[in-house]
């Protein structure tokens, strides 16, 4: 798997920006590789994060990880990027406050 190849190449971290939200035939292999590597970060997506009082915050997860991925992950990030008026996504908040 990609995780195993990157670990063998000496990667200190493997960070995915793809949501693992739909069941796939290789999920068990990905989860197993992430558990063994102990350096893999998976994302979630929040529902409509809002800018208030100088911080970006969210109150609900829109797309969570499939079972097993959260336990296998070294950490969890997010893939929210707000679209500008023309539909382009030019920036993302580096931090979203949640709970």
């Amino acid at each position: 798997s990609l995780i195993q190849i990157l670990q063998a190449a000496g990667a200190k971290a493997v960070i995915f920006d793809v949501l693992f939200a739909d069941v796939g035939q290789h999920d068990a292999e990905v989860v197993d590789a992430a558990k063994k590597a102990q350096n893999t970060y998976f994302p979630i997506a929040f529902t409509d994060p809002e800018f208030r009082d100088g911080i970006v915050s969210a109150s609900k997860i829109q797309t969570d990880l499939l079972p097993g991925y959260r336990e296998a992950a070294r950490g969890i990030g997010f893939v929210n990027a707000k679209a500008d008026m023309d539909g382009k996504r030019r920036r993302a908040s580096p931090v979203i406050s949640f709970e």
Side-chain angles (χ1 to χ4, degrees):
S1 77
L2 175 62
I3 296 169
Q4 293 167 321
I5 292 168
L6 291 171
Q7 183 184 24
K12 295 191 187 293
V14 177
I15 303 170
F16 285 94
D17 64 353
V18 175
L19 292 169
F20 289 86
D22 295 319
V23 176
Q25 71 183 65
H26 299 288
D27 287 331
E29 295 170 37
V30 174
V31 167
D32 185 55
K35 281 181 183 176
K36 288 178 182 172
Q38 297 181 356
N39 70 348
T40 308
Y41 296 78
F42 296 110
I44 61 174
F46 293 112
T47 301
D48 300 324
E50 295 183 358
F51 187 76
R52 288 186 190 160
D53 300 324
I55 61 169
V56 179
S57 62
S59 60
K60 186 177 176 188
I61 295 175
Q62 178 179 352
T63 307
D64 207 347
L65 290 168
L66 290 171
Y69 281 82
R70 186 173 292 278
E71 294 77 24
R74 171 76 181 220
I76 306 295
F78 59 88
V79 292
N80 291 80
K82 190 168 179 115
D84 290 333
M85 291 179 69
D86 62 1
K88 303 284 185 189
R89 298 179 189 274
R90 296 181 177 89
R91 59 190 156 264
S93 175
V95 176
I96 295 178
S97 175
F98 180 71
E99 295 182 353

